[in-house]
Amino acid sequence: MTEQNELLQDVAEEDELRRLLRARERVALTGFPAVRMRAERAAAAMRVRTGFAGAVLVVVALVAGLQLASRSRVLVPASGSVAPTPSASAAVATDTSGGTSQYVGCGSWSAATSPTGARFTASYGEIRNCLRVGNDWLLTTLGTTSSRGVIAVYRCGDAACLQPDADHPFDDWRITPAPGPGGVTLLGVDPDGRHVRVSNSGRQMLFDLDSLTFSG
Amino acid sequence: MLVSSGARGIGVAVNWEVLYEEHGPSIAGYLAKLIDDAEAASDLTQETFARAIRASGTIRERGAARAWLYRTATNLAIDHRRRRAILAFVPFSGLERHERGAFDVEADQVRTALRSIPVDQAVALLLLYQSGFSRSEVADLVGASEETVKSRLARGRKNFMAAYRRLERGLAR
């Protein structure tokens, strides 16, 4: 009898929970044209930023070319097998469409000897790439013998977090395991700044930084 | 009409205007409960759909679009809660809440109770009970196993009801 009462109480509580959580909220929404305009503004801002970054890169490349003169073969492969170090930890992301874009590389916290880097290495394998994309820090790993590689995203809520040397505690990263076995290698960042192209298990795919999902 | 042109890539695209009319209000309601701020919920709903439009080349089905929208809205809400936690030292007068118009005590208690429990539990409860996703869909949406979601729901339900009962009795705010 007591058990039956408990069951009835349980059902009644669930019904109440459903009713409370389903209660309507009064939220004033804008019309769809405003949403479309917002999307267009964001896309335009991204194009401007990409264009500006491209112009800066051209100038930097010209200056570097002049300085290096005959020593002009100094390409840094993003997809090389060398583990990232604080100085070269994915400061470069190769764009498979042909260009090369410069992003902010990670600081000393991503080194395998730092607490955060060590936790990643132990749990998900060696860090393959690490860089900042917009307001997010992003890293990929090669996986371990028992687990596949991951993409990890750290969302920044303030300006200090955007600094390469700021600490980014392991527990605040959002981890997404690779869809296939093996590691994840970053190939490039889409012009919208919210998708990255990666390679995993011999396949190229997109990773959405907002929904933290793979596609393609 | 769910098929429209204009998205990048090959194939059909989702008509976001139709989906905005269909899902905008429920996503806004979901966000309002999760972040306890109707204005910010409206803004984040707009941002969710704006991002969806920009990513429309990668979203091609109605079902996938709804899950994508909720996933993005959830991530935006979690970021918003984190940012607000960082700014929590800013002193408020306490009157802001009452400037919104009619004040619904029960709705306010629901939002306050949801705010008092861990965000992963609040998200699981709302996605299941408010938005109507199944347990496996919630698991897929939040990137966790079904067992984890089951556990979050059980703990969330216990924590939420306890917090709500305290608020009902005027024991906490």
Side-chain angles (χ1 to χ4, degrees):
Chain A
M1 188 63 191
T2 317
E3 204 173 292
Q4 199 177 356
N5 281 344
E6 275 176 13
L7 194 65
L8 286 171
Q9 203 178 339
D10 213 35
V11 171
E13 190 179 87
E14 182 146 10
D15 283 345
E16 187 182 10
L17 182 66
R18 186 174 283 112
R19 182 187 67 78
L20 290 170
L21 295 180
R22 280 192 180 169
R24 285 179 68 88
E25 288 283 343
R26 290 197 195 101
V27 182
L29 282 181
T30 57
F32 187 73
V35 178
R36 193 188 297 281
M37 272 177 63
R38 184 170 180 154
E40 284 167 4
R41 271 203 309 272
M46 183 52 66
R47 280 196 295 274
V48 170
R49 278 199 293 276
T50 309
F52 180 73
V56 170
L57 275 176
V58 167
V59 173
V60 170
L62 281 172
V63 172
L66 285 170
Q67 286 178 344
L68 292 169
S70 60
R71 294 188 299 135
S72 59
R73 282 177 289 166
V74 288
L75 296 176
V76 182
S79 54
S81 58
V82 179
T85 61
S87 56
S89 61
V92 177
T94 303
D95 186 328
T96 51
S97 62
T100 300
S101 306
Q102 204 81 28
Y103 292 90
V104 179
C106 297
S108 54
W109 55 268
S110 66
T113 48
S114 80
T116 303
R119 291 277 299 275
F120 268 109
T121 306
S123 307
Y124 306 113
E126 203 172 290
I127 296 176
R128 178 73 182 82
N129 308 100
C130 186
L131 74 164
R132 199 183 84 204
V133 182
N135 289 338
D136 299 331
W137 288 100
L138 174 83
L139 68 77
T140 67
T141 72
L142 294 176
T144 66
T145 48
S146 57
S147 67
R148 43 186 73 174
V150 299
I151 288 192
V153 175
Y154 189 101
R155 305 220 191 271
C156 283
D158 57 25
C161 166
L162 300 174
Q163 299 307 312
D165 287 329
D167 186 30
H168 301 95
F170 180 81
D171 290 338
D172 291 336
W173 286 81
R174 298 185 194 179
I175 313 287
T176 308
V184 181
T185 300
L186 183 71
L187 299 174
V189 180
D190 258 17
D192 69 4
R194 302 312 300 159
H195 294 86
V196 291
R197 265 165 296 151
V198 296
S199 168
N200 165 243
S201 290
R203 281 177 56 212
Q204 284 195 22
M205 57 197 89
L206 278 178
F207 181 75
D208 186 325
L209 291 173
D210 294 318
S211 64
L212 306 182
T213 52
F214 290 92
S215 63
Chain B
M1 207 271 288
L2 282 170
V3 178
S4 75
S5 59
R8 67 188 158 123
I10 305 162
V12 297
V14 174
N15 185 329
W16 292 109
E17 186 162 6
V18 171
L19 284 185
Y20 184 67
E21 281 167 21
E22 200 175 329
H23 298 304
S26 52
I27 288 176
Y30 165 69
L31 286 167
K33 284 196 171 75
L34 202 52
I35 61 177
D36 189 16
D37 183 336
E39 270 179 40
S42 174
D43 185 56
L44 292 186
T45 305
Q46 203 183 103
E47 179 62 22
T48 298
F49 278 86
R51 289 187 183 196
I53 292 167
R54 289 172 60 199
S56 50
T58 60
I59 309 163
R60 301 199 182 283
E61 298 165 28
R62 186 195 182 96
R66 183 171 182 253
W68 193 99
L69 288 167
Y70 271 93
R71 195 177 291 125
T72 301
T74 302
N75 285 327
L76 287 170
I78 292 171
D79 292 344
H80 180 87
R81 279 174 64 136
R82 181 188 285 176
R83 275 198 303 274
R84 194 170 53 184
I86 291 168
L87 296 171
F89 63 89
V90 178
F92 286 102
S93 67
L95 296 173
E96 293 82 358
R97 181 181 296 276
H98 305 285
E99 288 166 5
R100 295 177 194 158
F103 186 68
D104 182 336
V105 175
E106 187 178 86
D108 182 65
Q109 287 170 345
V110 167
R111 287 193 300 265
T112 307
L114 282 170
R115 207 178 54 211
S116 74
I117 67 176
V119 69
D120 56 352
Q121 295 174 15
V123 165
L125 285 175
L126 284 170
L127 289 175
L128 186 84
Y129 291 110
Q130 193 244 3
S131 308
F133 286 101
S134 68
R135 269 185 202 160
S136 64
E137 284 171 331
V138 174
D140 193 39
L141 216 146
V142 300
S145 69
E146 215 170 318
E147 277 307 302
T148 304
V149 169
K150 224 168 130 180
S151 150
R152 284 179 192 174
L153 285 167
R155 280 180 288 130
R157 179 175 152 176
K158 195 177 153 196
N159 291 337
F160 172 81
M161 288 312 291
Y164 184 75
R165 295 279 178 249
R166 279 197 306 275
L167 290 161
E168 262 190 331
R169 292 173 201 138
L171 298 178
R173 172 151 288 284

